[in-house]
Amino acid sequence: MHTYRAILTKRDIRTFADKAIPDDVLRKILNAGRMSGSSRNSQPWHFVVVRDRARLKTLSGFGRFAQHVATAAAAVCVVLDSPRAAFDGGRCAQNIMLAAWNFGIGSCPASMHRHDEARAFLGAPDTHAVITVISLGYPHPKGRGAVERTALRILAGRGRRPLASLVSWELYGAGSPGI
Ligand SMILES: Cc1cc2nc3c(=O)[nH]c(=O)nc-3n(C[C@H](O)[C@H](O)[C@H](O)COP(=O)(O)O)c2cc1C
């Protein structure tokens, strides 16, 4: 898939088919995360991959809107060396999700509101942080299910704001002729 097209068409998917992700594809997805840039190339992440159904269910309990984790084919838990590496973690997570989408695999982040319990459950050191878990799975052939409809109800809005409302030139609020 063309990169720009992957970026424009990647929507967060929370309803997954009951289909495993082949190991070689999962490996490529994780490698996309590994290749992400980070501040001073510090690479402050470690990926815990959860595929065991019972553990996915438990993991989904650590987030208020993480029901989709329970039904995912796999969850990639981006464990950060410190909460201060959140932006690095975000870059890494986006690369993982875009690479997955390139292979036709849907994904959605899940915030771990009970992040200390999530970290302990994953066996990560208490100096580390598990801010986001990424659900991965092939999109369900019947499309959006109940989990999705619930999630969509809490969203601040659908779609994206117009580009012109998001861009300023040289100074905040300054428009640009013709762009
Ligand atoms: C930092 C972050 C945390 C998120 N946490 C959750 C979450 O806990 N549960 C959930 O269902 N979606 C979560 N999302 C997904 C957002 O709801 C989604 O990106 C947004 O609604 C746009 O979705 P769309 O690309 O499908 O339009 C999160 C997204 C981000 C960037």
Side-chain angles (χ1 to χ4, degrees), residues 63-129:
R64 285 206 299 273
F65 314 109
Q67 295 83 349
H68 52 86
V69 174
T71 55
V76 178
C77 310
V78 181
V79 180
L80 300 174
D81 293 357
S82 125
R84 287 190 304 282
F87 185 76
D88 298 307
R91 275 194 82 174
C92 174
Q94 187 66 6
N95 278 352
I96 287 172
M97 292 188 282
L98 284 175
W101 189 228
N102 176 67
F103 296 113
I105 294 166
S107 60
C108 184
S111 304
M112 294 285 106
H113 299 90
R114 291 159 50 197
H115 44 76
D116 287 342
E117 290 171 69
R119 179 183 41 71
F121 174 70
L122 296 169
D126 57 17
T127 48
H128 289 43

Side-chain angles (χ1 to χ4, degrees), residues 136-159:
L136 295 173
Y138 291 94
H140 195 286
K142 293 209 176 101
R144 297 176 188 270
V147 170
E148 202 104 30
R149 289 194 294 277
T150 312
L152 295 176
R153 271 203 294 276
I154 62 151
L155 295 183
R158 297 296 304 280

Side-chain angles (χ1 to χ4, degrees), residues 5 17 39 50 62 79 99 109 175:
R5 183 168 164 69
S39 165
V50 178
F62 300 129
V79 180

Side-chain angles (χ1 to χ4, degrees), residues 14 45 121:
R14 301 170 179 86
W45 40 67
F121 174 70

Side-chain angles (χ1 to χ4, degrees), residues 161-168 172:
R161 292 161 43 201
L163 184 60
S165 74
L166 296 173
V167 179
S168 299
Y172 191 96

